[in-house]
Amino acid sequence: MLAAERHAIILERLDQKPTVSIRALTEQLGVSRETVRKDIELLAQHNKLEKIRGGATKIRTSELPITSRSKLNIQGKSLIAQYLASQIPNGASLFLDNGSSVLALAKALTHHSGLIVYTNDLKVAEVIAQATVELVIIGGKVDVTEMAVQGVEALESVARYRADFAVVSAGGLSPSAFLTDFSREASSMRHLMLSQAQHPIMLADSEKFGVVGHVVFKAPPKPTRIVTDIAPDDEIRRAISQRGYRLDIASEA
């Protein structure tokens, strides 16, 4: 079988299922593990897939709608939310972006008082209003699929403020691509929020492990903490450490 034929089969498998193991490909293609590894490495170099431990994962160009994401890993997101809520004091100011993990945090903060919140997420704003003295909804164009404000006007609005904390979501967290997203506008918003805060925090629940979005997230400022619900595998942990970021695991706190 020619290399081009093997590559086509590998990519077809990833269209059917987001991850595939070297063992499964070896059996299907009838070639050695070393040949499959080389095929995966070559496809990864051409941004056709993401190499992971023991196999490969598909590079995604879109993610599930917020209504669907909110139903995934509810326990893990709640664990992250409770962990962070215990660290955010009454009277703090914070940026909250859009995403199901951030929405879980907003719910966990409803017993706080005196918060000053800047958010581009309309659902987050509705929830967090119970705990705020001041609520600023970032202005601009609304992405109705996410119920979030994005775009140039929104970025200009965020740039006017500073906050104690910024809590934003990652689209994906993988060893080589590291932090990725599914929208350039959302990625720019998240990076700016992190840059405008004294304590920047990125959330990546275990559903995001090994996920690779098609937008590479610009390196967050170095004080950024990456918070997960459970421990990621050793490769992801090394990627976080080598890039100089701190990993907080809510289930081990």
Side-chain angles (χ1 to χ4, degrees):
M1 185 182 295
L2 297 175
E5 294 176 298
R6 295 197 305 272
H7 295 172
I9 291 172
I10 292 170
L11 295 176
E12 184 179 356
R13 281 290 298 268
L14 288 173
D15 281 336
Q16 298 167 356
K17 190 177 180 181
T19 61
V20 64
S21 69
I22 289 175
R23 174 184 289 183
L25 290 173
T26 298
E27 293 174 355
Q28 180 177 1
L29 299 172
V31 295
S32 68
R33 293 176 65 87
E34 185 60 28
T35 296
V36 172
R37 285 195 188 95
K38 289 180 179 178
D39 286 340
I40 289 174
E41 287 177 2
L42 184 60
L43 288 168
Q45 289 172 12
H46 288 85
N47 295 317
K48 299 293 186 180
L49 52 74
E50 168 75 5
K51 183 174 66 172
I52 60 174
R53 185 174 184 178
T57 189
K58 182 179 180 179
I59 296 177
R60 303 183 193 176
T61 57
S62 63
E63 63 179 341
L64 293 171
I66 183 66
T67 51
S68 299
R69 299 201 308 274
S70 296
K71 299 174 184 177
L72 298 174
N73 195 20
I74 294 173
Q75 183 177 357
K77 291 170 184 174
S78 177
L79 192 63
I80 291 173
Q82 295 300 325
Y83 168 70
L84 279 180
S86 69
Q87 299 184 12
I88 295 174
N90 292 327
S93 59
L94 59 158
F95 290 110
L96 297 177
D97 91 312
N98 68 296
S100 55
S101 294
V102 177
L103 182 59
L105 174 62
K107 293 174 181 177
L109 289 171
T110 54
H111 297 296
H112 281 53
S113 62
L115 297 178
I116 301 173
V117 176
Y118 310 96
T119 184
N120 65 325
D121 188 299
L122 302 184
K123 291 184 178 181
V124 166
E126 182 179 5
V127 170
I128 202 68
Q130 303 173 53
T132 59
V133 165
E134 183 177 341
L135 172 62
V136 177
I137 300 177
I138 302 304
K141 182 180 178 181
V142 176
D143 177 350
V144 294
T145 62
E146 291 288 307
M147 292 306 292
V149 183
Q150 304 288 4
V152 174
E153 289 177 281
L155 292 173
E156 291 174 349
S157 180
V158 169
R160 299 189 189 107
Y161 302 103
R162 296 282 299 176
D164 300 320
F165 297 87
V167 185
V168 308
S169 298
L173 176 61
S174 63
S176 56
F178 198 45
L179 295 165
T180 55
D181 216 323
F182 297 93
S183 160
R184 288 191 298 273
E185 289 184 332
S187 179
S188 296
M189 172 63 72
R190 288 165 178 151
H191 187 272
L192 181 58
M193 285 182 171
L194 293 174
S195 300
Q196 296 289 99
Q198 184 177 359
H199 302 289
I201 300 167
M202 289 201 77
L203 309 184
D205 75 280
S206 50
E207 287 286 330
K208 304 295 179 66
F209 296 170
V211 172
V212 181
H214 70 291
V215 177
V216 176
F217 197 94
K218 185 179 178 182
K222 285 301 179 185
T224 299
R225 286 190 288 156
I226 297 174
V227 182
T228 66
D229 52 334
I230 60 175
D233 64 32
D234 290 343
E235 286 189 301
I236 291 178
R237 294 183 77 142
R238 277 196 298 271
I240 293 171
S241 176
Q242 288 170 357
R243 287 168 172 81
Y245 298 106
R246 169 180 158 185
L247 172 64
D248 284 5
I249 302 167
S251 61
E252 298 179 4

